[in-house]
Amino acid sequence: MEKYIKDPLYGNIRIDPNMIDTPYFQRLRHIMQNGMAYMVFPSMRHSRFEHSLGVYHIASKMIDRIRTENLTIKLESDWKDKIKKLALYHDLGHLPFSHTFEYAFEVLQYLNPNIYNQILNFTGFKAKLFKLHEMIGVTLLKEMGEKKLSDLMQEIYKKDEPDDEFKKIVKLIINSDLDADRLDYLQRDSYYSGAKFGIIDPERIIVTMNITPDGYIFPPKAIDDLEHFFLARFHMYSSVYNHPVIEIYNRVMAYFIAFALDSSLLKFPDNFEEFKTFTDESVFLALVKAKNDPNLFHFYHSLVERKKYKRAVIEGGQAQDLLKAISNHKEEFYKTILDYKGKVVIGEVELTTNIDKIKIERKMGIWTYTKDLKDEEGVTKPKERHRIYIGAYDDESSNKITEHFKKEYNVIIQFRS
Amino acid sequence: MEKYIKDPLYGNIRIDPNMIDTPYFQRLRHIMQNGMAYMVFPSMRHSRFEHSLGVYHIASKMIDRIRTENLTIKLESDWKDKIKKLALYHDLGHLPFSHTFEYAFEVLQYLNPNIYNQILNFTGFKAKLFKLHEMIGVTLLKEMGEKKLSDLMQEIYKKDEPDDEFKKIVKLIINSDLDADRLDYLQRDSYYSGAKFGIIDPERIIVTMNITPDGYIFPPKAIDDLEHFFLARFHMYSSVYNHPVIEIYNRVMAYFIAFALDSSLLKFPDNFEEFKTFTDESVFLALVKAKNDPNLFHFYHSLVERKKYKRAVIEGGQAQDLLKAISNHKEEFYKTILDYKGKVVIGEVELTTNIDKIKIERKMGIWTYTKDLKDEEGVTKPKERHRIYIGAYDDESSNKITEHFKKEYNVIIQFRS
Amino acid sequence: MEKYIKDPLYGNIRIDPNMIDTPYFQRLRHIMQNGMAYMVFPSMRHSRFEHSLGVYHIASKMIDRIRTENLTIKLESDWKDKIKKLALYHDLGHLPFSHTFEYAFEVLQYLNPNIYNQILNFTGFKAKLFKLHEMIGVTLLKEMGEKKLSDLMQEIYKKDEPDDEFKKIVKLIINSDLDADRLDYLQRDSYYSGAKFGIIDPERIIVTMNITPDGYIFPPKAIDDLEHFFLARFHMYSSVYNHPVIEIYNRVMAYFIAFALDSSLLKFPDNFEEFKTFTDESVFLALVKAKNDPNLFHFYHSLVERKKYKRAVIEGGQAQDLLKAISNHKEEFYKTILDYKGKVVIGEVELTTNIDKIKIERKMGIWTYTKDLKDEEGVTKPKERHRIYIGAYDDESSNKITEHFKKEYNVIIQFRS
Amino acid sequence: MEKYIKDPLYGNIRIDPNMIDTPYFQRLRHIMQNGMAYMVFPSMRHSRFEHSLGVYHIASKMIDRIRTENLTIKLESDWKDKIKKLALYHDLGHLPFSHTFEYAFEVLQYLNPNIYNQILNFTGFKAKLFKLHEMIGVTLLKEMGEKKLSDLMQEIYKKDEPDDEFKKIVKLIINSDLDADRLDYLQRDSYYSGAKFGIIDPERIIVTMNITPDGYIFPPKAIDDLEHFFLARFHMYSSVYNHPVIEIYNRVMAYFIAFALDSSLLKFPDNFEEFKTFTDESVFLALVKAKNDPNLFHFYHSLVERKKYKRAVIEGGQAQDLLKAISNHKEEFYKTILDYKGKVVIGEVELTTNIDKIKIERKMGIWTYTKDLKDEEGVTKPKERHRIYIGAYDDESSNKITEHFKKEYNVIIQFRS
């Protein structure tokens, strides 16, 4: 029997409680949706739990927009249930502080390859095929006895296009440039933060869309809504998700997670039973312990007591060049940064916008033709932006890194507090 | 003594009731803010009255952001009152259905030059220096005994830049690319229509702005908010104000007003006493009379009973070329169209975005420098859009105009109902 | 084919455009939902058109809550369509300024019985069986060729309980203490006014309700929502609909309408063809004419130029007693008041709350029982309130009516401006 | 220098960052505002941090409404700063899960008097003079070097009325039936939960209030707003804060905290340095440990994995009688319940409404008089409600407690899952 869960965005979400009253889904209550964003927008404290319910709700509406007339497959209700379930469970594999942990994983590659491999091993994959939380999600679904759903998830998160019609459709709804995920989080993150950038009209987008294996098809009058959607996403990244102060806190947290794992202050789960309680709180506990460790105190100081790092920003062409230089010598770069033990952090931000698999359908005489949205003459795509944020805990660190940038890259960075 | 007026956007607007309890201001309750937009968005029925209160409210907040340190003038409270009063009264000169009447005025130039000149005469100006409602506003203020305010209004609506610091500041607040007018109407029109495009964050824009005689000065972190604002405006025009169906209704209404004045169904006021009750209702009454006039019945049919015109759209490069062709032969063009007596209407839409007098201030070492927002590398400006809408009341009209376009411009237009 | 109409409350309302593109429904765009309320809450300018769409939307959701298991009738989709159509058309018979006209009708009974009878005649009924706009609605539906719908409407608006199951259900949805009408207008009037009193959660009420021929049945957990709903309604009446200043403007308008009909400044339609354009604008036009009529100028002065009447309020027990005294001598009372020709107006307000046909269902052991909500021990019903508002155009009128009240009722009234 | 913090309710809160960048205030980010409410309303995850900023914002507006003309004291800006600071810091002493911990404290009195006394000792008070978090708040302010503010806080939280004018005013703003606390939390908890009950209009209440040492004074037109406010509070308690499922989770959590302290799974801080990191996370960590403790596993099972307790409700007169019976034999009652080790929990809810220190001011002729709002004839006060919730982890517990209630109180309770 379905029941209603109150949601401030959609009023009431109708769902079978059995789908959510499982430990792995309940765990998402303890994974903050936006990492450290609450350090700047205090009320962005919502979790992956509410978001996942929202994605379920949006996906449920999207499945009614699948254009079935040309499908060789028949979309039975069983398949629709699969899509909805995957929407609900797509974030199950997230680690503490969501995407922040992904960066910690990258740091570990250089800081402690053993732990890096232990984590990789946990995912059940031999190599990093897609994002950490996606790999864990796939394996966790298997663990939960959802073998078929796990296969489906793997299929739609891997890079290559799936080869059957059904999976192509699922990929559009769950993992594409206009998926249920984004249609939920833009609004939701706006609602909680108070920033207005992400306020879009998902219902209007949904009622005008047609979902086909080849992509979304929209009428011309939807162009403004689509443009609005992509610009909303761009601004949310530029102003909220990659806000300079948030970006630095996220990096400090990522370094902390890496160093905490390295120094056994934090223990990565050995199995999925332990994974159930590996949450934001686990990391917070490690932070409390760091308070009394002189090598790690600065993490506690910054992340719990909110001591602000000084910060410098490099933007535009200079940032773009520098990003290339760094990515060509990643190992060396990490070595340099790791020396600071988290007292210097560097965040790279590349704001770009992809608009794939979205087509506009027009009539010409008695004929109908479609054109990719990205090729439409009048559509405004936001310009790419490149930024490098450098955070420094104290004067010593900021002086050293300033010298380093001057010497290595001939770039003068300018800190402000 | 000030009192509070409830406003759904700002909660409570604090104002001296004496400023609003005058016939000329009360008249604005009877001028729809967005012309015929309510034919598509039924709840867009708000009037210039609420909007003017909103502009007053926003302008009151903006005057606190005037950067006074470098001013040679001293901004006394008397001056601030002037700015607020002008904000409140800037729309007093609007005629029925707001901007729709402006287009009727243009039509009259060709349909009935005598009435055109009578209206021009009413404005108190010898030639069309700026918009009709602005010219009337200037003269009406004089009529109201507000000689100085009238002069100020004239100064800031004329094309040339005012020459003194104070007027430059007033122009920024009342009549610029980022004035109190726009900061109010984007939100307000979104609120009433239900369209989300115009939801911006005026408070955040206001608290980061500095107003100087040379223009607005913002910190770099405001760039997203500004971009968001200009894109919001662009989308509101593209999707709401210039919505094809609304555009056609607005043109039908403009032609009706012109023909109604021409045929004495509607009488333009002889003086400001008559102007007090020259409102949307006056036009509606004329429409009711048109019901029984076979030459004008189609106006009643369309505007009261909502018989929809068939419509054709020309877009992109083709529209741009056509617009040039037409504007080079305006008189001929109008003659052709006037032959249809409103059974064919043509709307030209050019969506562009100006970003003048807005600067971003940055620090370089100990120095400060500013750069025009429009020259900032990373700023996304929406692409220009060009559209021509053609509406036709019946098959006879649509066939004839289709042939005309084919013959004259070698353009095939395609009607849909 | 259904299409979507944008609504700021519900996002998008899905409806067949043929149902709304008729002159009688389009006419509702020109009938203000809340009479003169916009004189105090400037943005309450929404019309019966948007409201009717909203009632249609709410009723469409309510029909899914009809508990069919015990019904002897079968609710076929044809019947559901009837309910939805009646929801859409329930307000078709409204006259200019909605309820304000009903009071003018009452005044006419004393001022000009001929016109009173002419109007009664127009309704197609021999006596005032229910509200004026309801009677007209019934007859108009017949005129529109909707004979069956007309019968149904008559059945559910008459006082007696209908005798068949289906009609009982329709009456609950369209004309009861918890009908689709109220579920829409409380929210809608809050949204436009900016007053928060009417913000309820109709969706939550709807998803917990069961509709049976005997009334609504709710689970106990809905009690707070229901209480909230009835209190919201009470406060909207107390603070908005019966706001003292609005109440006086509504009475001034009602007297104006009566005097305008009496003096042929305004003409009541002779037939439904004329009814199509008998709207708020018709009354406004009469007001404009009144400007130059010394006997009626005060109406123009008050209603167009917003000259405020002085006002006095009598409340509580004293008001209750006085209301009884007046209603026992209605004819005499009206004669006295009519002498002032609208320079004195009196408004009677009785705020009460009915909670009929709403039951709470509980379990006791294996048994189920229901209890009327109004008999539930813990339910808070707002206290009755009684008020008399007296408005006076000038000192002469206020002095005279003050003396009259002192002499006749031994009541001292105290005017404030 | 002040800066702006984004808040979804108020847009931007202006505050000196030095006041919030202190460990004790940052700690509030880790104390959930509404305990376990998020188990039912998933998005109620906001913390005491945002709420405290909100109370600061509201209090800042309220101080402008202090009626100074009759004050013998002079309200200097230094005093205003004190009020604002106390508003910001009034919740500093909250323990994990806010009010839930208060109940754990009560349980400890019977479960482990040593720890009870240790906690009491921590507060710096010899006896429980007011709420636990208020006592800790007073002492913590001293610890922070805010001796005077600490004294002020103590003065306004103690039962007796303060004796000086200034403190009386502070008490109204910070700790009264209409304080800044409630004006913030009703709206805020509505915003995050999605429940509409608490949506009030604080701005309108604030602009009509006058604050005097004797209480609030309002004009008659504010009665609806005040009534709306008190009813909003009532419904939020009835439907959200004391929602049966939430109530049971809060009790389970309270018992867990008591048992965890008792069994050293959780350690109460020895000093304020440890207090800095004694937060929700500390309790969550203890819960994770409880997973492997057979005596405490049910707490983990319920609070982390969301195993729902069966529940029974007693309401109305029966509940009221029972509550009296229990409170007369509290010790015995607790002993019985403690035997179940948290597998049975009992929640007592008494919903009442106090309306003290609020007066309505009216004019009678040339005189002015005030009357207490609670004595106003027409004011609706919600009826008291009494409820007892009983939660049981498994059949064994529910059977035993059912028998117990039958035997001891002759009351039959009926569990549902």
Side-chain angles (χ1 to χ4, degrees), chain C residues 56-308:
Chain C
Y56 172 85
H57 178 80
I58 294 284
S60 306
K61 298 196 156 191
M62 287 172 81
I63 54 179
D64 292 334
R65 307 302 307 170
I66 300 172
R67 198 187 261 185
T68 50
E69 64 246 51
N70 297 320
L71 293 186
T72 56
I73 52 163
K74 238 179 84 188
L75 263 190
E76 287 160 48
S77 93
D78 171 50
W79 288 17
K80 294 192 176 177
D81 284 348
K82 257 192 204 127
I83 299 177
K84 288 162 69 175
K85 205 173 200 175
L86 193 52
L88 189 70
Y89 287 168
H90 80 288
D91 268 352
L92 282 187
H94 261 295
L95 291 161
F97 294 98
S98 296
H99 298 286
T100 308
F101 203 102
E102 308 273 336
Y103 187 65
F105 184 53
E106 197 184 320
V107 171
L108 279 167
Q109 197 167 3
Y110 304 95
L111 178 64
N112 188 327
N114 284 340
I115 295 182
Y116 179 87
N117 287 320
Q118 181 204 333
I119 296 176
L120 188 59
N121 204 37
F122 181 85
T123 67
F125 287 80
K126 300 239 157 107
K128 193 169 174 296
L129 292 188
F130 20 88
K131 283 189 191 152
L132 185 55
H133 74 270
E134 294 162 0
M135 296 194 293
I136 296 178
V138 166
T139 302
L140 175 50
L141 283 177
K142 231 177 288 168
E143 174 76 21
M144 290 165 72
E146 298 276 6
K147 173 80 178 69
K148 281 184 186 167
L149 208 63
S150 168
D151 290 346
L152 182 60
M153 183 169 175
Q154 179 159 354
E155 201 71 30
I156 67 161
Y157 276 98
K158 71 176 189 200
K159 251 199 163 166
D160 315 332
E161 189 60 14
D163 44 14
D164 93 27
E165 284 183 341
F166 172 62
K167 286 173 194 155
K168 283 181 183 181
I169 282 171
V170 182
K171 184 160 188 156
L172 282 176
I173 296 177
I174 308 290
N175 183 26
S176 77
D177 294 339
L178 184 59
D179 55 24
D181 190 24
R182 296 177 181 190
L183 284 171
D184 181 76
Y185 76 62
L186 290 182
Q187 297 178 82
R188 189 169 298 277
D189 299 340
S190 275
Y191 187 86
Y192 289 97
S193 65
K196 308 280 191 217
F197 295 112
I199 299 174
I200 51 162
D201 193 348
E203 197 188 349
R204 206 180 123 82
I205 291 176
I206 292 170
V207 299
T208 53
M209 71 170 42
N210 281 284
I211 306 178
T212 76
D214 297 333
Y216 292 104
I217 297 177
F218 285 94
K221 70 175 175 181
I223 290 179
D224 279 318
D225 294 282
L226 293 165
E227 203 177 274
H228 190 225
F229 167 78
F230 286 107
L231 288 160
R233 189 168 170 273
F234 182 81
H235 282 135
M236 282 301 281
Y237 274 90
S238 181
S239 264
V240 179
Y241 309 135
N242 296 130
H243 183 289
V245 178
I246 294 172
E247 192 67 22
I248 285 171
Y249 277 118
N250 272 329
R251 298 294 160 140
V252 176
M253 177 54 102
Y255 275 93
F256 171 67
I257 291 171
F259 279 99
L261 287 167
D262 178 54
S263 64
S264 302
L265 221 58
L266 181 66
K267 188 185 159 298
F268 196 84
D270 283 331
N271 48 54
F272 278 106
E273 190 55 37
E274 284 179 27
F275 180 78
K276 282 185 190 170
T277 52
F278 189 61
T279 62
D280 292 2
E281 286 92 342
S282 315
V283 173
F284 189 77
L285 172 73
L287 268 173
V288 171
K289 290 183 191 156
K291 186 179 174 183
N292 299 314
D293 181 335
N295 289 319
L296 302 171
F297 173 77
H298 54 283
F299 290 119
Y300 167 82
H301 197 196
S302 161
L303 296 169
V304 181
E305 298 204 345
R306 206 176 180 277
K307 146 84 179 166
K308 265 176 92 172

Side-chain angles (χ1 to χ4, degrees), chain A residues 62-127:
Chain A
M62 288 172 80
I63 55 179
D64 292 333
R65 306 302 307 170
I66 300 172
R67 198 187 262 185
T68 50
E69 63 247 51
N70 297 320
L71 293 187
T72 55
I73 53 162
K74 238 179 81 188
L75 262 190
E76 288 160 47
S77 92
D78 171 50
W79 288 17
K80 294 191 176 178
D81 285 347
K82 254 191 206 129
I83 299 177
K84 288 162 70 176
K85 203 171 201 177
L86 194 53
L88 189 71
Y89 287 169
H90 80 288
D91 268 352
L92 282 188
H94 260 295
L95 291 161
F97 294 97
S98 297
H99 298 287
T100 309
F101 203 102
E102 308 272 336
Y103 187 65
F105 184 55
E106 196 183 321
V107 171
L108 279 167
Q109 197 167 5
Y110 304 97
L111 178 65
N112 189 327
N114 283 341
I115 294 182
Y116 179 88
N117 287 321
Q118 181 205 333
I119 296 176
L120 188 59
N121 204 39
F122 181 85
T123 68
F125 286 81
K126 300 242 159 101

Side-chain angles (χ1 to χ4, degrees), chain D residues 277-399:
Chain D
T277 52
F278 189 62
T279 62
D280 292 3
E281 286 93 343
S282 314
V283 173
F284 189 78
L285 173 72
L287 268 172
V288 171
K289 289 184 191 157
K291 186 180 175 183
N292 300 313
D293 180 336
N295 289 318
L296 302 172
F297 172 77
H298 53 284
F299 290 119
Y300 168 82
H301 196 196
S302 161
L303 297 168
V304 180
E305 299 203 346
R306 205 173 180 278
K307 146 82 179 165
K308 264 176 94 171
Y309 274 46
K310 291 159 68 182
R311 68 177 191 275
V313 184
I314 302 167
E315 284 181 287
Q318 198 180 36
Q320 199 172 2
D321 297 344
L322 203 54
L323 283 171
K324 267 184 219 148
I326 288 171
S327 75
N328 286 340
H329 303 85
K330 221 159 194 178
E331 193 161 350
E332 222 181 306
F333 170 75
Y334 267 109
K335 264 187 202 156
T336 310
I337 297 300
L338 284 171
D339 274 354
Y340 291 91
K341 299 201 178 307
K343 287 192 178 174
V344 166
V345 297
I346 300 196
E348 318 135 46
V349 176
E350 292 191 87
L351 296 173
T352 58
T353 302
N354 286 320
I355 310 186
D356 278 328
K357 302 236 158 226
I358 300 176
K359 293 161 205 288
I360 303 301
E361 190 174 63
R362 280 198 174 74
K363 277 190 179 147
M364 179 170 266
I366 58 159
W367 300 100
T368 286
Y369 67 99
T370 63
K371 194 172 174 181
D372 276 1
L373 177 64
K374 63 182 167 196
D375 299 333
E376 286 279 335
E377 203 183 340
V379 169
T380 304
K381 263 185 60 175
K383 289 193 188 164
E384 290 197 5
R385 287 189 194 159
H386 302 270
R387 295 187 207 138
I388 297 177
Y389 298 125
I390 306 162
Y393 175 68
D394 50 21
D395 288 344
E396 195 193 322
S397 320
S398 65
N399 291 339

Side-chain angles (χ1 to χ4, degrees), chain A residues 224 227 235 238-239 365 385, chain B residues 224 227 235 238-239 365 385 414:
Chain A
D224 279 318
E227 203 176 275
H235 282 135
S238 181
S239 264
R385 287 189 193 158
Chain B
D224 280 317
E227 205 177 273
H235 283 135
S238 181
S239 264
R385 287 189 193 159
Q414 198 179 344

